[in-house]
Amino acid sequence: MTKYCGGYDTEEKEQDFEREDVMAERKKEKKSPEEADSKGSRSHGTVENLWYWLKTLYRESPGFVWLYAAGIGVGVGTSFLGVYMPSVLVADITAQAGLERILGNLAFLGGGLACLYLTETWIGNTKQILGKRIAVKQEEEVVKLSLEASYDRVERAEFPEEFWRLTERHFWSREYNTVFMDAFAALATALTGMVLYVGMLSGLSLWILLLVLAGTGVDHVVGLQCNKWDTKNRHKWLKLDYRMNYLSRRTSTYEASKDVHLYHMPPWLEKLFNRDLKERLHHTVRQQGNYFLIGAVNGATRMVWEVAAYLYLVYLVCEGQLDAAGFVFYFGIVTGFASWCASIVSSMRKLHLEASYVEEARKFQERLCRSGEEGREELVLPPGHIPEITFSNVSFQYEGANEPTLKNLDLTMRPGENIALVGLNGAGKTTFIKLLCGFYEPTQGSILIDGRDRRQYTRESWIKYFSGVFQDGWLFPLSLRENLVMGQEAEKGNISGGAGSKGDDALGELLKMADLEEKIGKLPEGLETMFGLGSNSGAVDFSGGEMQKMMLARALGKNAPLLVLDEPTAALDPLMESELYERYGRFSENKTTVFISHRLASTRFCDRILLMEKGEVAESGTHQELLDRNGKYAWMYQLQSRYYQKIEAQKEAGLEGEAVEE
């Protein structure tokens, strides 16, 4: 997901490039992403998907399904009365019945029809309300599932597009369930009505019945073929829709506006957007062509049977075999029967399409749910306990990559130890962090927690003992206090509480440690200030350095025994970074800390430095030990030393304020 959010380093880019190469290979094999990503997932048939979704809707709201069932009888009754009432009135008029009888029949049949119409309207409105309630519930379930899914499931390059497609096209339109049930109910209503009308038509003329059925069969075949094309090619224009949507959203943000204006991007962005729009319109034209074909075939078959039926009924009237009332009645029956047949074709086409949407949703959710954690136990560490962590012959290879990113790592992280990871981009540092935190499992070897294989424990119970600062951290459009507390309880040393609570002292200490005390103090509402310019009235935005300080304060506030700092000072200038690391000892008290940095001067605060190269630990030792060894670490440090010497000279000359302009 970080691929679309920005803020990832070269190592992550290389991994994404490898994934894109795999996607390119899939395209060469002429497989759609849906087909390629379904590896390991069983495909479900159309009927199975429809039955699955019907059961899902019934489980979430039985009343919603029963309303549609009631609507079937109402729909058939409305149709039949609409055909029967004119024939009764014609019969009364031709028989010269009295006005009282005509008005009585009209009141009785018309009143019944009016009641059915009112019932149909009430059912329709109630269905819309219940359908939207179910849609909201489904939105929450999908978002919750995505948030709780293991990191390796959501880090896939395809995940953002899949998530958008599922939510935007299926659930968040809030019409998906009603469209599905409308098609289901229309099919059931049409089948019921058709069975009722078949008996009436069979006594009139069998060949008219067969003619209507033949036309319906032609309509169904044409519609089904158009549906298959739609299902096969849908991913192409949905990908374009996602790209245009993403481009519009990202380029219209406050963060992007400076670059857009500075580099005069509008003409270039418009060109990119129009390129995708042109291709999208190409698919749209083909879609509209399919719709025209369906309509043209339906109109042609309808014209054939209507003309034939009309001429036959006229012939019967002329031959004296049918009176005027019978003509009106049977013509209504023929028309109604044909309408039921057309409704069956239309409903089956819609249900076939809806079944493909259900298939996408099921596979998406199955990919997120395949955790493989069945039978694992919860990890519970005693209060204040810091576990020993051992990497035993650990290797890791990303899916689709040609070679492992990490190779045969053997190391032990002692309780309370401060470890620095250094190395060139692509050396495997970030992947090491992902394995350590439990975002991924090793493809070879094992990670031991106090001597026990971590795979014995659930991933969630392990992750809760970590806090961290990452390069692509983010604040939510909430108050600064809420962004720091993140819903933590005021227990076991954690911080919480509203304004004036006991948690204020703890929060103040965190802000002081992260060098944010002065910044927050200048805000009119202090910690109650909302974050996210444009998202809330009176909200503020922070600079990159201030954002990272907030991330650091939040990580320290969790008070977890394991702390990960992935380039926590990347957005800070060297002077601010130096001041921050002078307090590094306080950050790491009663914690095992793993620290990634490209600025080697900051690593001297750590107990041990691991120089990673090509997925392996090339050198290990303290800052001074590695300098004395005069190896790769010493060479890298010497390259940076002149720069840091200038910084030290500035500090000694009292020029700290001139190093960077806030």
Side-chain angles (χ1 to χ4, degrees):
M1 197 167 185
T2 53
K3 181 177 179 181
Y4 295 93
C5 297
Y8 56 103
D9 63 14
T10 305
E11 178 181 358
E12 290 172 312
K13 289 181 181 177
E14 291 174 354
Q15 295 162 4
D16 285 338
F17 292 154
E18 289 176 345
R19 297 189 187 103
E20 288 171 4
D21 289 341
V22 174
M23 293 300 292
E25 289 299 321
R26 292 173 177 172
K27 290 180 180 178
K28 290 179 182 178
E29 297 172 3
K30 297 183 179 179
K31 292 182 179 179
S32 70
E34 285 81 357
E35 294 171 325
D37 292 337
S38 63
K39 182 179 180 181
S41 296
R42 181 178 70 86
S43 295
H44 311 90
T46 299
V47 175
E48 183 182 357
N49 280 324
L50 295 177
W51 181 241
Y52 164 82
W53 202 249
L54 186 61
K55 290 191 298 182
T56 299
L57 293 178
Y58 186 81
R59 183 174 61 250
E60 293 181 351
S61 178
F64 182 66
V65 177
W66 279 115
L67 277 174
Y68 275 96
I72 294 173
V74 173
V76 173
T78 301
S79 175
F80 182 75
L81 274 182
V83 172
Y84 182 66
M85 188 171 71
S87 67
V88 171
L89 293 177
V90 170
D92 287 343
I93 293 172
T94 55
Q96 297 183 347
L99 181 62
E100 183 178 346
R101 179 179 176 181
I102 294 175
L103 292 178
N105 286 337
L106 182 63
F108 178 74
L109 296 176
L113 195 60
C115 290
L116 289 175
Y117 277 132
L118 288 174
T119 303
E120 196 171 37
T121 301
W122 176 81
I123 289 175
N125 292 335
T126 308
K127 287 187 301 188
Q128 288 291 329
I129 295 172
L130 293 179
K132 290 185 178 182
R133 286 180 182 174
I134 296 173
V136 171
K137 185 177 179 181
Q138 288 172 338
E139 293 170 25
E140 294 173 350
E141 290 174 352
V142 171
V143 173
K144 184 174 183 290
L145 180 63
S146 299
L147 291 174
E148 294 179 348
S150 59
Y151 186 78
D152 58 331
R153 304 287 186 226
V154 300
E155 196 191 29
R156 295 179 301 108
E158 302 89 353
F159 175 82
E161 182 187 339
E162 291 176 352
F163 181 81
W164 173 82
R165 186 168 63 221
L166 178 66
T167 53
E168 287 288 327
R169 296 286 174 174
H170 300 178
F171 295 148
W172 287 355
S173 66
R174 297 190 178 171
E175 299 295 335
Y176 176 68
N177 293 316
T178 52
V179 170
F180 173 84
M181 287 302 300
D182 283 343
F184 222 114
L187 178 61
T189 303
L191 287 172
T192 304
M194 191 176 72
V195 170
L196 178 65
Y197 285 16
V198 161
M200 300 177 184
L201 277 180
S202 60
L204 177 67
S205 174
L206 186 61
W207 69 267
I208 289 181
L209 180 64
L210 294 177
L211 186 63
V212 175
L213 291 175
T216 301
V218 173
D219 293 344
H220 176 66
V221 170
V222 172
L224 194 61
Q225 291 302 315
C226 292
N227 251 23
K228 288 181 178 179
W229 180 89
D230 190 289
T231 302
K232 182 179 178 181
N233 294 278
R234 183 169 61 235
H235 70 278
K236 297 177 182 178
W237 64 74
L238 289 180
K239 182 180 289 293
L240 293 169
D241 287 345
Y242 175 76
R243 276 165 40 181
M244 290 189 291
N245 179 277
Y246 178 80
L247 187 64
S248 299
R249 285 186 293 107
R250 296 299 294 175
T251 56
S252 60
T253 60
Y254 168 77
E255 294 82 4
S257 61
K258 295 188 289 294
D259 286 335
V260 170
H261 290 292
L262 183 63
Y263 293 100
H264 190 55
M265 289 183 179
W268 174 65
L269 294 172
E270 183 180 7
K271 183 179 179 181
L272 293 178
F273 189 88
N274 287 339
R275 181 189 64 190
D276 287 344
L277 180 60
K278 183 178 180 180
E279 188 176 351
R280 177 65 173 95
L281 290 175
H282 172 75
H283 294 298
T284 302
V285 170
R286 175 60 192 273
Q287 274 185 296
Q288 294 302 317
N290 284 344
Y291 298 150
F292 175 79
L293 178 62
I294 292 172
V297 171
N298 179 264
T301 56
R302 187 179 184 91
M303 182 182 66
V304 170
W305 67 254
E306 277 191 347
V307 170
Y310 191 80
L311 291 176
Y312 181 70
L313 291 174
V314 169
Y315 168 77
L316 292 179
V317 171
C318 293
E319 291 294 317
Q321 300 178 31
L322 197 67
D323 58 13
F327 177 86
V328 173
F329 178 73
Y330 278 110
F331 189 77
I333 290 297
V334 171
T335 304
F337 179 77
S339 297
W340 293 132
C341 292
S343 181
I344 289 173
V345 171
S346 175
S347 300
M348 290 181 68
R349 185 169 63 84
K350 287 181 181 179
L351 287 173
H352 184 268
L353 196 61
E354 298 302 307
S356 67
Y357 290 147
V358 173
E359 177 73 358
E360 288 182 10
R362 293 182 73 176
K363 287 189 174 181
F364 176 81
Q365 295 180 52
E366 285 171 4
R367 281 194 290 269
L368 294 186
C369 289
R370 288 201 302 270
S371 63
E373 294 195 354
E374 295 80 5
R376 296 190 183 187
E377 59 183 282
E378 295 289 313
L379 173 64
V380 180
L381 297 178
H385 175 71
I386 305 175
E388 180 181 82
I389 305 171
T390 302
F391 280 63
S392 177
N393 193 34
V394 168
S395 296
F396 180 79
Q397 182 170 341
Y398 286 98
E399 182 180 352
N402 296 323
E403 59 181 28
T405 303
L406 295 179
K407 307 171 187 175
N408 306 316
L409 288 184
D410 280 299
L411 63 95
T412 297
M413 301 169 59
R414 296 181 292 275
E417 186 177 20
N418 298 325
I419 296 177
L421 296 178
V422 299
L424 300 177
N425 289 330
K429 303 184 298 296
T430 299
T431 301
F432 177 90
I433 293 297
K434 291 176 181 178
L435 288 176
L436 174 65
C437 293
F439 297 150
Y440 283 96
E441 294 291 355
T443 51
Q444 177 184 314
S446 57
I447 299 175
L448 308 179
I449 311 300
D450 288 333
R452 295 188 64 185
D453 193 326
R454 191 183 65 193
R455 280 174 285 223
Q456 298 179 22
Y457 306 111
T458 63
R459 192 173 294 184
E460 188 67 26
S461 66
W462 171 242
I463 291 177
K464 72 179 182 180
Y465 291 108
F466 278 88
S467 59
V469 180
F470 300 96
Q471 297 180 55
D472 53 356
W474 187 249
L475 296 180
F476 296 91
L478 305 169
S479 70
L480 298 179
R481 178 187 299 278
E482 289 172 305
N483 270 291
L484 287 174
V485 174
M486 298 302 291
Q488 298 174 64
E489 298 291 337
E491 59 182 350
K492 298 182 181 179
N494 286 337
I495 56 172
S496 81
S501 70
K502 295 181 180 179
D504 283 348
D505 292 339
L507 286 174
E509 181 64 21
L510 292 178
L511 295 175
K512 186 175 182 180
M513 291 177 67
D515 194 27
L516 274 174
E517 189 177 32
E518 182 178 355
K519 170 71 178 181
I520 303 300
K522 291 181 179 179
L523 298 175
E525 297 184 47
L527 284 172
E528 307 309 320
T529 304
M530 301 297 292
F531 176 80
L533 195 62
S535 62
N536 291 286
S537 177
V540 298
D541 267 337
F542 285 164
S543 67
E546 291 166 342
M547 284 279 288
Q548 284 193 307
K549 289 179 180 180
M550 280 290 292
M551 297 297 107
L552 179 61
R554 185 167 71 183
L556 297 175
K558 187 178 178 183
N559 198 28
L562 303 167
L563 176 64
V564 173
L565 303 174
D566 186 357
E567 291 284 352
T569 59
L572 304 180
D573 65 88
L575 287 178
M576 294 175 65
E577 178 192 48
S578 178
E579 293 175 2
L580 198 61
Y581 281 116
E582 287 177 1
R583 300 193 294 274
Y584 183 85
R586 294 183 63 193
F587 298 163
S588 58
E589 285 180 359
N590 302 318
K591 293 178 178 63
T592 295
T593 308
V594 182
F595 167 59
I596 296 178
S597 178
H598 287 93
R599 297 174 182 174
L600 301 187
S602 61
T603 60
R604 56 185 148 187
F605 299 99
C606 297
D607 301 320
R608 184 164 40 135
I609 300 168
L610 304 178
L611 173 64
M612 300 194 69
E613 188 173 21
K614 296 181 179 179
E616 300 177 308
V617 177
E619 297 179 17
S620 175
T622 65
H623 175 74
Q624 191 59 49
E625 288 172 349
L626 294 180
L627 289 180
D628 294 342
R629 191 176 301 174
N630 200 29
K632 187 69 174 285
Y633 178 88
W635 172 76
M636 293 171 61
Y637 180 77
Q638 289 168 7
L639 290 178
Q640 296 181 358
S641 61
R642 291 183 180 180
Y643 180 69
Y644 284 104
Q645 287 171 3
K646 291 180 181 179
I647 298 300
E648 291 297 328
Q650 282 183 315
K651 291 180 67 177
E652 292 178 4
L655 301 176
E656 294 93 338
E658 299 181 11
V660 64
E661 183 176 350
E662 289 286 358

